[in-house]
């Protein structure tokens, strides 16, 4: 898949996701959260709400509020509890409470300062409040920078399925400040690498090889390596979303590993495994199913499993009952009339979406579960 054109200025880069009137910039670089120019795409307004969490807000909220007060007459901060287990209706309602208390109107701008949970909840609130207000993604985790902040998917979890309640609502901009990755916990960094690794098998064999060769540099938080990983990941996702905004076809490939991974998260209880940990293990299982169905050579599946293991991610799934696995996966958003649709690979760099006989799925579960 060809890279999208990008402009380079002062070491930082700007990609553009092409969605007609909903197009927006993705800024990637160092020091972006402290640069007023980063927010040029955001209109001035009477009010704004910054939504963050208990981990990120103490690190970055105060400086951001000071900068945003140059653009908005009133800027409030809402601090949510941290963790996937809080991605539900009650947390979403905290955002609505804050907006109503503030007297927010249709010109109010929301800012999502945090990882994937903050971005998804804030985006869903923006999609719903007064039937839609503007928001900006300020992703502070690697996973959010390379995946969840781009593309306009917003939502919350339901006890029976992950991200089953939500809306498509594109942000005004995505501002990925690489400096914030310095404070990211090690486990979160490794979880984010799962989404980086994902882009190679589904779309770019050369990038997959690059990740294999540069994994140690990524784990050591080498600035140039992280910048390339974030940029290439965003290029691929922007290209896919630009062709299929609402996941009617091509965009489904971005869910490689997620059908198994979401079942792990829902089956264990949200928050037990990080999303990236579940996706990493889910990619191993999806690759095994690809081999089982005769699509992928076994050595390519081993290559992917080795890379995921090197990243410090789990490659053995929890021992859920096979009937429970199938029940959870039939709730996947790609399912069609009860048939589970899997994102599989028939070569490193090319994904396919198709069903699989339950017997083959059970065989993979037997081999891959602890």
């Amino acid at each position: 898949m060809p890279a999208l054109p990008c402009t380079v200025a002062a070491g930082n880069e700007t990609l553009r996701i092409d969605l007609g009137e909903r197009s927006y910039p993705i800024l990637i670089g160092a020091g972006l959260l402290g640069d007023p120019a980063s927010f040029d795409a955001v209109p001035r307004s009477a009010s704004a709400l910054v939504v963050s969490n208990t981990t990120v807000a103490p690190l970055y909220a105060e400086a951001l509020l000071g900068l945003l007060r140059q653009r908005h007459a009133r800027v409030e901060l809402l601090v949510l509890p941290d963790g996937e287990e809080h991605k539900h209706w009650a947390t979403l309602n905290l955002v609505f409470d804050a907006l109503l208390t503030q007297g927010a109107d249709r010109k109010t701008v929301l800012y999502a300062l945090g990882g994937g949970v903050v971005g998804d909840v804030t985006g869903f609130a923006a999609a719903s409040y007064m039937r839609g207000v503007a928001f900006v993604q300020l992703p502070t985790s690697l996973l959010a920078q390379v995946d969840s902040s781009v593309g306009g998917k917003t939502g919350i979890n339901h006890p029976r399925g992950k991200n089953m309640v939500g809306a498509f609502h594109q942000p005004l901009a995505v501002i990925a400040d690489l400096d914030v990755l310095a404070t990211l916990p090690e486990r979160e960094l490794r979880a984010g690498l799962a989404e980086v690794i994902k882009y190679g098998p589904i779309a770019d064999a050369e990038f997959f090889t690059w990740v294999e060769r540069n994994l140690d540099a990524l784990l050591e938080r080498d600035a140039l390596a992280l910048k390339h990983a974030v940029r290439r990941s965003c290029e691929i996702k922007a290209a896919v979303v630009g062709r299929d905004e609402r996941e009617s076809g091509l965009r489904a490939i971005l869910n490689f590993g997620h059908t198994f991974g979401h079942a792990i998260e829902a089956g264990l209880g949200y928050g037990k495994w990080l999303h990236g940990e579940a996706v990493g293990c889910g990619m191993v299982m999806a690759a095994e199913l690809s081999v089982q169905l005769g699509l992928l050579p076994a050595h390519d599946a081993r290559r992917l499993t080795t890379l995921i293991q090197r990243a410090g991610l789990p490659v053995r799934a929890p021992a859920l009952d096979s009937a429970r696995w199938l029940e959870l996966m039939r709730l996947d958003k790609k399912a069609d009339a009860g048939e589970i649709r899997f994102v599989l690979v028939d070569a490193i760099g090319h994904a396919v979406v198709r069903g699989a006989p339950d017997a083959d799925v059970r065989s993979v579960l037997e081999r891959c579960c602890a």
Side-chain angles (χ1 to χ4, degrees), residues 2 8-9 28 35 37 40 80 113 135 147 164 178 182 221 226 249 271 293 303 320 350 354 365 369:
V8 181
I28 302 167
D35 183 358
D40 284 348
L80 302 177
L113 176 67
F135 85 112
D147 185 67
M164 294 301 290
L178 301 176
R221 308 183 197 225
L226 284 171
L293 297 176
R303 187 179 166 197
L320 304 176
H350 187 262
R354 54 165 290 180
L365 294 174
C369 290

Side-chain angles (χ1 to χ4, degrees), residues 156-181:
I156 56 174
N157 299 329
H158 186 278
R160 296 188 63 188
K162 184 176 171 68
N163 292 333
M164 294 301 290
V165 182
F168 288 97
H169 189 58
Q170 300 295 341
L172 290 175
V174 177
I175 301 171
D177 190 334
L178 301 176
D179 283 350
V180 304
L181 299 180

Side-chain angles (χ1 to χ4, degrees), residues 192-210:
L193 287 173
E195 295 284 6
V196 173
I197 292 168
K198 171 191 76 178
Y199 289 107
I202 66 169
D204 190 341
E206 183 178 343
F207 182 55
F208 185 78
T209 300
W210 181 89

Side-chain angles (χ1 to χ4, degrees), residues 251-263:
R251 185 169 177 169
I253 70 171
L254 298 172
N255 292 315
F256 178 56
H258 288 59
T259 300
F260 288 105
H262 286 172

